[in-house]
Amino acid sequence: MCGIVGYIGTKQAAPIILDGLSKLEYRGYDSAGMAIYDGGKINITKSVGRLKVLENLTHGGETMPGICGIGHTRWATHGVPSDTNAHPHFNADETITVVHNGIIENYLHLRQMLSDKGYKFVSETDTEVLAHLLDYYYKGNPMEAVTKVLHRVEGSYALGILFADCPDQIFAARKDSPLVVGQNGDGCFIASDVPAILKYTRKVYYVDNQEVVRLRADHMHFYSVDEEEMTKEPVTIEWDANAAEKAGYEHFMLKEMYEQPKTVTDTLLPRIKGRDIVIEELNMSDEELNAINKIHIVACGSAYHAGVTGKYVIEGLARIPVEVDLASEFRYRNPILEEGAMVIVISQSGETADTLAALRESKARGFKVLGIVNVVGSSIAREADNVMYTWAGPEIAVATTKAYSAQLVALYLLAMKFGRARGKIDDKTFASLLGDLKRLPNQIEMLLNNKLKIQKFANRYIGAKDVFFIGRGIDYAISLEGSLKLKEISYIHSEAYAAGELKHGTISLIEEGTLVAAVSTQPDLYAKTISNMVEVKARGAFVLAVTCEENKEIEKAADYVIYIPETNPYFTNSLAIIPLQLFGYYVAVGKGCDVDKPRNLAKSVTVE
Ligand code: AGP
């Protein structure tokens, strides 16, 4: 996510802003910039690259004197990382400047409207629209301009705004993207997150949705978007600085697990238009979609596990044959790619060497590649023919959670888009699927709130030596990811097995007390999986079942049951994976493992 810091007071603003932005680096970014009012005009310095670049350019802020300013670290969404796309953004006569965290979903419409009125754009960002729209509405009253803009934009935002005409004020506003404000004896502060201002004050105000804040050197006022003044209660932060970077969570992994409802929402909503799914990034007409006669999904690790789910969902909903490959295998097995095939590569980092190589191999053979990628402007995002971004924001923990969840919903959307275009999904079914998709974020949140029950169960397995995850169909894909989550952060040996395959050898490893997690979310396979559970129980296993609320029958065969709320069977991975993520997390925490940075692992495997 982007980082915002602003200051107005009696001290020099630039050093305070640079210091604050450095506390937000954990959020991930690719460029940084500052706008400071020097007593006569607003000056902007911004650059692609690390914050150090900005610090060097401004000699630690010395080249930008002034006691009022805003700063930003950009996590690219619309527009690749570049000096021009970096924030802050100016209006044409450089009298209004803005920094933004979030996505303006109707920016194309607003950009067209403003262009038709003669406004010129210099960047590819959605944010620049805000600078020109503020200009359009500004007639001398900054609050009026701000609130008019907020009534026009759709999407998510945390904003810092500066008007050269009113240099004794900074404006801030929020909808869905986090924003806090604070005050001490030297001035007032805005920030995307507490760490940026914790050094200056522990008393902060969390800005709520559709609230506007006017900050002066010695006081702040809160308003609604309809300019009604309101009072807010401050919150005193008890965290230490290190904990604050994790917003109070013990680990980034837990924080990112709890970001999954928002991740799924951010990936879904921009692509659901009324009763239809619109995936502009596909750049394919229905005819072109219909011409696809095979899909190859290629990825590594958890992204591969998402791809395995994608196979079941796309084949089920769109009836297109799907082949899923580990990228490290695909690139060397001289794959057979035939006319009409489409390649989809999935990657959170967009830098995984094997996946990038698979992309290049496919393109070298003349096949179009769609990238499902999280990091905007990454190598895979740049080299794919088309990119479907997962708006998960930067993922810090090595073990992926929120990006994986976003990959799943991206694949659901694709499956529904393909199925609709090919006439395989009737209107009623499509509407039902859409309804189930929209319910996923709340259902994920519900499951996350179950964490204490999972933690208690996990504590029983801190000393485990072997844990098995079994399932059939999509449940097998869920098992793959559940097993990886456990072993990569707790270092406990774990295997995922197609439940029907266990008896062909691996069942010999089941001993008294061995934990077997049976995933059973596919109604047409409930009975089969119960049989497999009975098989392992007969050999002494302790069976944990993860299943749908309707499947009470399973209680006869399971020793411990975790239920997930009802959803379409194609979407159950998004729910069943939550307790399995929590299980792996709490086992690792119980073992005292370095959860966010597990041994031997890197967040992005950029080598073979
Ligand atoms: C998953 O928790 C691991 N971090 C790892 O398997 C990861 O999914 C894999 O390396 C692929 O990374 P990518 O999505 O960035 O390509």
Side-chain angles (χ1 to χ4, degrees):
M1 265 121 4
C2 304
I4 289 173
V5 177
Y7 170 77
I8 182 166
T10 57
K11 303 271 187 189
Q12 286 302 299
I16 291 173
I17 291 169
L18 287 169
D19 174 73
L21 290 177
S22 71
K23 302 293 190 303
L24 300 179
E25 287 194 280
Y26 72 87
R27 298 161 70 90
Y29 66 99
D30 43 58
S31 54
M34 281 193 292
I36 308 288
Y37 182 77
D38 68 2
K41 64 182 179 0
I42 297 172
N43 299 302
I44 284 184
T45 305
K46 57 185 184 177
S47 166
V48 70
R50 308 307 293 167
L51 193 57
K52 198 71 192 151
V53 174
L54 183 65
E55 284 171 359
N56 294 340
L57 281 174
T58 61
H59 299 175
E62 285 173 17
T63 63
M64 299 187 80
I67 55 172
C68 170
I70 52 179
H72 188 265
T73 46
R74 179 174 181 245
W75 168 266
T77 54
H78 297 69
V80 296
S82 70
D83 292 359
T84 309
N85 288 338
H87 301 204
H89 287 283
F90 257 141
N91 64 334
D93 62 9
E94 302 190 349
T95 54
I96 301 172
T97 186
V98 62
V99 290
H100 167 227
N101 175 24
I103 296 175
I104 303 300
E105 288 170 13
N106 61 336
Y107 86 100
L108 287 174
H109 164 73
L110 294 170
R111 186 176 175 127
Q112 187 58 55
M113 182 272 280
L114 290 162
S115 299
D116 293 346
K117 294 178 185 301
Y119 283 86
K120 301 281 181 260
F121 287 81
V122 296
S123 80
E124 306 161 288
T125 67
D126 54 335
T127 304
E128 189 186 351
V129 162
L130 298 172
H132 298 305
L133 203 56
L134 284 162
D135 181 277
Y136 176 69
Y137 282 120
Y138 181 61
K139 306 286 183 268
N141 177 336
M143 177 59 86
E144 179 191 40
V146 170
T147 51
K148 283 187 172 178
V149 165
L150 300 184
H151 279 101
R152 285 300 299 272
V153 298
E154 294 165 15
S156 57
Y157 54 77
L159 300 177
I161 304 166
L162 204 46
F163 293 82
D165 290 3
C166 317
D168 61 340
Q169 317 173 37
I170 293 178
F171 291 84
R174 183 252 166 126
K175 179 173 171 291
D176 294 337
S177 294
L179 193 66
V180 296
V181 296
Q183 179 176 1
N184 70 3
D186 300 322
C188 289
F189 307 79
I190 65 173
S192 299
D193 200 353
V194 164
I197 59 175
L198 200 56
K199 175 176 173 181
Y200 307 101
T201 177
R202 284 190 171 275
K203 196 166 83 169
V204 302
Y205 298 81
Y206 288 93
V207 183
D208 290 313
N209 271 357
Q210 310 250 292
E211 284 182 357
V212 183
V213 193
R214 183 203 303 261
L215 301 95
R216 287 189 170 90
D218 56 1
H219 65 271
M220 301 182 284
H221 286 284
F222 299 90
Y223 303 85
S224 73
V225 283
D226 298 316
E227 295 191 45
E228 288 141 12
E229 189 156 3
M230 58 177 72
T231 54
K232 283 179 78 72
E233 288 308 311
V235 172
T236 302
I237 300 297
E238 308 297 346
W239 305 327
D240 64 42
N242 179 42
E245 284 197 9
K246 305 179 185 92
Y249 289 97
E250 189 181 354
H251 298 102
F252 281 114
M253 184 176 174
L254 188 61
K255 176 170 179 278
E256 287 155 8
M257 278 192 264
Y258 272 77
E259 288 174 350
Q260 288 179 114
K262 183 174 184 315
T263 292
V264 167
T265 301
D266 289 353
T267 303
L268 277 179
L269 289 197
R271 296 160 173 140
I272 295 177
K273 305 289 183 199
R275 287 197 290 268
D276 202 1
I277 287 174
V278 177
I279 308 176
E280 289 164 354
E281 316 93 298
L282 257 184
N283 289 323
M284 291 170 78
S285 64
D286 280 0
E287 292 70 35
E288 288 168 313
L289 290 175
N290 278 324
I292 300 291
N293 56 29
K294 181 156 186 187
I295 292 175
H296 294 265
I297 298 179
V298 190
C300 300
S302 295
Y304 168 77
H305 299 157
V308 176
T309 297
K311 169 185 172 64
Y312 289 107
V313 178
I314 295 170
E315 287 190 345
L317 289 177
R319 306 310 292 156
I320 303 174
V322 179
E323 197 170 324
V324 192
D325 271 279
L326 289 168
S328 53
E329 290 296 305
F330 180 86
R331 64 183 296 195
Y332 293 118
R333 70 177 181 82
N334 190 15
I336 298 172
L337 299 178
E338 294 176 323
E339 190 179 345
M342 171 185 189
V343 177
I344 299 176
V345 296
I346 307 172
S347 177
Q348 186 286 128
S349 63
E351 300 298 345
T352 300
D354 287 323
T355 310
L356 184 55
L359 176 154
R360 290 170 176 164
E361 175 71 16
S362 305
K363 290 188 70 174
R365 295 174 178 225
F367 288 86
K368 276 193 176 294
V369 177
L370 169 70
I372 297 180
V373 183
N374 194 42
V375 179
V376 175
S378 56
S379 302
I380 289 174
R382 286 197 309 275
E383 296 190 27
D385 295 290
N386 296 304
V387 185
M388 186 175 179
Y389 282 117
T390 49
W391 303 122
E395 193 174 57
I396 311 297
V398 165
T400 183
T401 50
K402 62 174 184 172
Y404 172 79
S405 289
Q407 290 162 358
L408 290 177
V409 292
L411 289 160
Y412 302 157
L413 289 167
L414 278 173
M416 290 171 66
K417 184 73 189 166
F418 274 108
R420 181 92 154 177
R422 304 163 71 89
K424 302 295 184 191
I425 306 176
D426 62 44
D427 291 351
K428 185 168 176 290
T429 306
F430 194 84
S432 167
L433 287 164
L434 220 43
D436 283 332
L437 272 185
K438 291 175 182 174
R439 273 185 288 278
L440 287 178
N442 287 339
Q443 292 176 318
I444 291 171
E445 186 144 14
M446 255 172 53
L447 288 163
L448 286 166
N449 294 335
N450 217 2
K451 70 176 183 182
L452 295 180
K453 176 183 172 186
I454 307 288
Q455 182 175 15
K456 205 162 161 223
F457 180 78
N459 286 339
R460 291 158 51 176
Y461 287 94
I462 291 172
K465 293 286 174 285
D466 298 294
V467 179
F468 295 85
F469 293 75
I470 63 172
R472 292 169 178 261
I474 286 177
D475 293 335
Y476 171 54
I478 299 169
S479 299
L480 286 168
E481 180 59 12
S483 173
L484 178 60
K485 284 287 95 49
L486 174 68
K487 60 186 157 185
E488 70 174 322
I489 60 177
S490 74
Y491 316 145
I492 291 174
H493 170 253
S494 171
E495 288 185 59
Y497 244 81
E501 178 64 12
L502 209 58
K503 54 186 169 296
H504 297 279
T506 301
I507 200 165
S508 66
L509 298 180
I510 305 299
E511 297 170 343
E512 187 60 34
T514 301
L515 175 61
V516 175
V519 183
S520 179
T521 69
Q522 305 299 301
D524 57 342
L525 296 169
Y526 282 160
K528 296 291 179 195
T529 304
I530 286 178
S531 308
N532 301 132
M533 292 163 63
V534 170
E535 282 165 12
V536 295
K537 270 184 75 68
R539 288 150 179 89
F542 182 97
V543 178
L544 158 69
V546 180
T547 191
C548 303
E549 281 164 355
E550 63 176 7
N551 187 18
K552 300 300 183 198
E553 192 65 19
I554 206 165
E555 293 182 3
K556 292 177 189 157
D559 296 299
Y560 193 89
V561 183
I562 296 171
Y563 287 106
I564 63 170
E566 292 306 314
T567 186
N568 185 286
Y570 286 121
F571 303 154
T572 56
N573 192 338
S574 298
L575 302 181
I577 198 58
I578 302 301
L580 298 181
Q581 290 171 346
L582 289 168
F583 175 69
Y585 171 78
Y586 282 116
V587 170
V589 168
K591 288 189 67 178
C593 295
D594 183 350
V595 172
D596 286 334
K597 297 185 180 66
R599 69 187 183 199
N600 309 337
L601 293 179
K603 182 59 186 170
S604 175
V605 183
T606 56
V607 293
E608 279 201 54

